[in-house]
Amino acid sequence: MLIDTALGVASLRQHIASLIDKPLLAIASHIHFDHAGGLPEFDHRAIHPVEAEALRSGDNHAAVCSRELGFVLDEHFEQLPYAGFTAMQYTLHRAEPTQLLQEGDVLDLGDRAFEVLHLPGHSPGSIALYDAKNQELFSGDIIYDGDLLDQLPGSNIPTYIATYERLQRLPIDTVYPGHYNTFGRDRTPIRAPIGKQSE
């Protein structure tokens, strides 16, 4: 299982080929280009149904990589992925999802199992993967230790607040976010400690 596939400007599949000896499911925690951009190069691709059509059509606006939004700029690249590359060329490539992940689905890897949580707010189809046994959350952009983005196309602040209220009730020891560093119960960007109710 691979959670998020980066921009897709260089081959992640080729980079990790030596690490994989089993079938691989590539999952997009949400449609934004920095999480779903590399999804088309994998044979097995999963996303929440709400954002499946954006992946099918290569919707640059939903993926927040359209030129007018200004999120993909040349200065964001420390090194060009290939000669002649410019950020103006960047686009989300179309791909047909091979699996749609719904709230409550369980991805059983044999030694670990992950429950799909639909946690909208940052984007309509944002999901996290929750390992209840180890109390670990792979959160995508739902929660991370930095400034959260809640005014993007498809973002909804009241929905995001409801998602955070849900997270506060979920027992979590470790969060593996889509950006910045891993953190635990002692260091969380939400007002109440994760897994505990506000006093």
Side-chain angles (χ1 to χ4, degrees):
M1 184 174 75
L2 173 66
I3 305 170
D4 290 337
T5 58
L7 281 71
V9 294
S11 177
L12 180 58
R13 180 177 180 174
Q14 184 179 10
H15 182 73
I16 65 174
S18 64
L19 306 174
I20 300 168
D21 61 357
K22 295 180 175 69
L24 177 70
L25 176 64
I27 298 168
S29 63
H30 60 301
I31 192 60
H32 293 167
F33 72 97
D34 53 332
H35 297 261
L39 213 57
E41 73 170 333
F42 293 92
D43 295 330
H44 303 286
R45 303 173 293 272
I47 197 166
H48 190 273
V50 171
E51 295 181 350
E53 184 54 36
L55 182 61
R56 287 188 191 101
S57 64
D59 186 337
N60 290 318
H61 187 72
V64 298
C65 60
S66 57
R67 289 186 186 93
E68 63 271 12
L69 292 173
F71 283 111
V72 186
L73 302 173
D74 285 334
E75 55 263 33
H76 295 158
F77 294 85
E78 293 181 9
Q79 180 179 336
L80 293 181
Y82 52 85
F85 173 85
T86 67
M88 290 291 288
Q89 298 170 330
Y90 185 81
T91 187
L92 180 73
H93 293 289
R94 299 175 184 176
E96 181 65 33
T98 60
Q99 186 173 345
L100 299 179
L101 298 177
Q102 304 265 17
E103 167 75 27
D105 287 351
V106 176
L107 301 171
D108 190 344
L109 304 183
D111 58 342
R112 295 184 74 179
F114 296 87
E115 181 183 356
V116 176
L117 306 179
H118 180 210
L119 298 170
H122 177 72
S123 78
S126 285
I127 62 167
L129 298 177
Y130 179 55
D131 176 349
K133 180 180 178 182
N134 296 300
Q135 296 189 352
E136 295 177 343
L137 183 75
F138 292 80
S139 67
D141 279 0
I142 295 154
I143 184 171
Y144 50 81
D145 196 1
D147 293 334
L148 298 172
L149 302 179
D150 57 11
Q151 296 183 347
L152 301 172
S155 295
N156 183 282
I157 293 173
T159 303
Y160 217 157
I161 291 170
T163 281
Y164 272 57
E165 290 170 348
R166 180 180 179 189
L167 285 175
Q168 289 174 347
R169 297 188 297 271
L170 195 66
I172 300 170
D173 281 335
T174 309
V175 176
Y176 296 95
H179 299 278
Y180 307 106
N181 297 320
T182 299
F183 59 91
R185 195 186 306 267
D186 59 333
R187 171 72 180 147
T188 173
I190 38 186
R191 286 176 295 186
I194 293 179
K196 296 183 179 179
Q197 291 285 354
S198 299
E199 300 276 331

